[in-house]
Amino acid sequence: MAASFELGVFFQVWPSSPFPSRPFSRPFLSSHACRAAASSSGGDPEALQPERTVVRFGLPSKGRMADETLSLLKNCQLSVRQVNPRQYVADIPQLSNLEVWFQRPKDIVRKLQSGDLDIGIVGFDTVSEYGQGNEDLIVVHDTLEYGACRLSLAIPKYGIFENINSLHELAQMPQWTTERPLRIVTGFSYLGPKFLKEKGLEYVSFSTADGALEAAPAMGIADAIIDLVSSGMTLRENDLKEIEGGVVLASQAVFVASKRSLNTREGVLEITHEILERLEAHLRATGQVTVVANMRGNSAKEVAERILSQTSLSGLQDDT
């Protein structure tokens, strides 16, 4: 009687990434790497309020970033349980001794630095703007593959800027002087000035605003803006354009932690490692498919040869 063999066929698909190549990209940190990074922090353990024993996980409280973060965690079998949607505290049943705190992204970064939170998920632009190079902040995983955008300088398409297409050309414009500097409006009061100083622009002044920055040049309030850009549609609809060399940084959602917490607070390293493993497992599985089929045959070899003889499945032998 012919034996029945079950043959598992594994297909792996690697779609091109929709996220921009980023100079700050680095591999996610293993548990050992987290411990090593924490040990080098040199922070003051007493600043962590040692009487607190529960681990605190900060998540965005509103908007698309909040929704996509909860969706990612759910896909990692880490569903956030919030009894009352008006409450700012929740938990994850699969992780004991953990509190989830819903906060504004910038407050997540600030509270990681103050010791009020231990780990969090925010945009890399927020970490960079409000962390300001603080060595206590460590990006544990920097490619969560959502929330992609870039912090970019944009200028009008019209007037004196019509033929300006690069940061170098913008800097060389004779209009900019000590009395009449290039006026830039931005919500990124740390990253914006830092970027243009590094690029050597001499005559620049900054003003701060939180919303509707695209209207500033048309209103005569500013010559240019530095703001987050996703598709670029809002810029185009307001007759603005990005220029070559004008991207301050590329950003997406990142998993971040406090080095001091990893080093001194009980349970933080273990929970961080557990979340990290689940995140990486889910992200690696994205785009992969397993196909299992039952086929009759006298041996596994015979079944395999029969499958591979089918031209429609020739990709099993080599790339197509």
Side-chain angles (χ1 to χ4, degrees):
M1 185 175 73
S4 178
F5 293 89
E6 183 179 275
L7 182 64
V9 184
F10 179 72
F11 294 90
Q12 183 171 330
V13 182
W14 295 101
S16 58
S17 173
F19 300 99
S21 176
R22 301 181 294 120
F24 55 81
S25 286
R26 60 187 174 189
F28 69 93
L29 299 181
S30 64
S31 177
H32 173 75
C34 286
R35 190 181 300 277
S39 299
S40 64
S41 66
D44 179 11
E46 292 183 0
L48 287 173
Q49 305 172 350
E51 68 276 6
R52 175 166 65 84
T53 58
V54 67
V55 178
R56 289 178 176 172
F57 187 13
L59 298 181
S61 57
K62 295 180 181 179
R64 183 175 178 180
M65 177 71 79
D67 295 338
E68 294 190 55
T69 300
L70 292 177
S71 178
L72 172 65
L73 292 174
K74 183 178 180 180
N75 289 333
C76 295
Q77 307 303 312
L78 293 173
S79 296
V80 176
R81 182 175 61 185
Q82 189 177 16
V83 177
N84 186 336
R86 294 181 179 273
Q87 291 181 332
Y88 289 100
V89 64
D91 67 354
I92 297 177
Q94 294 83 358
L95 299 174
S96 60
N97 198 41
L98 177 76
E99 289 179 347
V100 173
W101 285 85
F102 293 101
Q103 302 283 295
R104 294 183 302 175
K106 62 183 179 182
D107 289 336
I108 291 175
V109 177
R110 288 168 174 165
K111 290 177 181 179
L112 283 168
Q113 295 176 89
S114 68
D116 295 309
L117 292 174
D118 304 304
I119 54 179
I121 293 179
V122 291
F124 183 74
D125 57 289
T126 306
V127 176
S128 301
E129 172 67 18
Y130 296 97
Q132 300 187 4
N134 188 326
E135 294 184 356
D136 182 54
L137 293 176
I138 178 171
V139 176
V140 182
H141 199 304
D142 71 352
T143 49
L144 298 183
E145 299 188 2
Y146 68 95
C149 60
R150 56 192 177 276
L151 182 62
S152 190
L153 185 146
I155 60 176
K157 296 179 180 179
Y158 49 84
I160 61 174
F161 301 101
E162 185 175 359
N163 297 316
I164 302 299
N165 297 301
S166 71
L167 186 63
H168 175 73
E169 292 173 351
L170 181 65
Q172 296 300 313
M173 292 178 67
Q175 284 87 348
W176 317 133
T177 64
T178 303
E179 292 75 23
R180 177 58 173 91
L182 173 66
R183 301 168 302 161
I184 298 178
V185 62
T186 183
F188 291 81
S189 57
Y190 171 74
L191 291 175
K194 178 176 180 290
F195 173 74
L196 291 184
K197 182 179 180 181
E198 291 173 349
K199 294 298 182 179
L201 273 74
E202 186 175 358
Y203 304 115
V204 184
S205 67
F206 283 88
S207 59
T208 304
D210 293 326
L213 302 188
E214 294 83 2
M219 296 178 67
I221 299 172
D223 303 302
I225 68 172
I226 292 180
D227 200 9
L228 293 175
V229 180
S230 296
S231 66
M233 183 177 296
T234 304
L235 292 181
R236 292 190 294 271
E237 290 179 346
N238 287 276
D239 289 327
L240 299 176
K241 62 183 178 181
E242 295 179 87
I243 56 178
E244 180 183 348
V247 176
V248 180
L249 60 77
S251 179
Q252 62 176 286
V254 298
F255 181 30
V256 65
S258 162
K259 288 183 181 179
R260 290 176 299 165
S261 290
L262 289 170
N263 190 44
T264 63
R265 191 177 302 289
E266 184 178 356
V268 175
L269 185 63
E270 291 74 17
I271 287 177
T272 300
H273 190 218
E274 173 71 17
I275 295 173
L276 185 58
E277 284 191 333
R278 288 174 180 258
L279 288 172
E280 187 61 19
H282 169 71
L283 293 172
R284 286 187 177 185
T286 301
Q288 298 181 2
V289 180
T290 299
V291 178
V292 179
N294 290 317
M295 296 186 65
R296 290 186 177 276
N298 294 318
S299 67
K301 181 180 178 181
E302 179 185 324
V303 172
E305 289 176 347
R306 189 185 307 169
I307 291 176
L308 296 177
S309 66
Q310 303 296 316
T311 57
S312 60
L313 299 176
S314 58
L316 292 172
Q317 294 172 302
D318 202 351
D319 294 336
T320 60

